[in-house]
Amino acid sequence: MSSLDQDHAVRRWTFLTNHARVLLEIARDPRIRLRDMAARAGITERAAQAIVTDLEQAGYLTRVRVGRRNHYTIDSTRRFRHPAEADHRIEGLLNLFTYHEDAHETR
């Protein structure tokens, strides 16, 4: 494998799944539009829709139609699905990626 092939292979994987990315985008903005969610997660709208459906069916989120938009609510007490992480709630992941230190500083 050439150096160029190795560099390309290294760049192709990430630590977070697309399901995690969609969930984090919803956590950041519960009124996010599907097209914006998809763009920020780097996936197609169709993939984002399928992931939202997966997350909703598994009980990780609920969506309510308000006018022309969906409003999402995440159940952060749900646990990770993989047995290796099943003893952890997803709230840790959400806090890790949505926590803003400057918003929580005491004065």
Side-chain angles (χ1 to χ4, degrees), residues 47-100:
Q49 176 63 47
I51 290 169
V52 167
T53 298
D54 287 347
L55 293 170
E56 186 175 31
Q57 288 176 348
Y60 288 89
L61 63 85
T62 56
R63 71 181 138 175
V64 175
R65 190 81 172 168
V66 178
R68 297 176 58 192
R69 309 257 324 241
N70 287 321
H71 291 209
Y72 302 95
T73 304
I74 296 173
D75 181 356
S76 62
T77 66
R78 298 289 304 205
R79 299 191 181 277
F80 285 95
R81 292 172 47 105
H82 193 280
E85 295 92 30
D87 58 333
H88 295 282
R89 294 179 179 185
I90 64 168
E91 65 191 339
L93 176 75
L94 299 176
N95 289 338
L96 180 65
F97 286 95
T98 61
Y99 177 83
H100 298 287

Side-chain angles (χ1 to χ4, degrees), residues 3-64:
S3 164
L4 183 59
D5 291 337
Q6 288 174 346
D7 288 344
H8 181 68
V10 169
R11 284 189 228 126
R12 290 177 40 136
W13 68 274
T14 65
F15 282 104
L16 299 177
T17 66
N18 288 339
H19 281 67
R21 291 182 191 285
V22 166
L23 191 65
L24 289 169
E25 291 306 329
I26 292 169
R28 290 178 182 128
D29 180 4
R31 296 179 181 185
I32 191 168
R33 293 181 309 171
L34 197 60
R35 79 174 58 152
D36 296 331
M37 180 188 316
R40 291 177 189 167
I43 58 177
T44 65
E45 283 186 56
R46 183 174 287 192
Q49 176 63 47
I51 290 169
V52 167
T53 298
D54 287 347
L55 293 170
E56 186 175 31
Q57 288 176 348
Y60 288 89
L61 63 85
T62 56
R63 71 181 138 175
V64 175

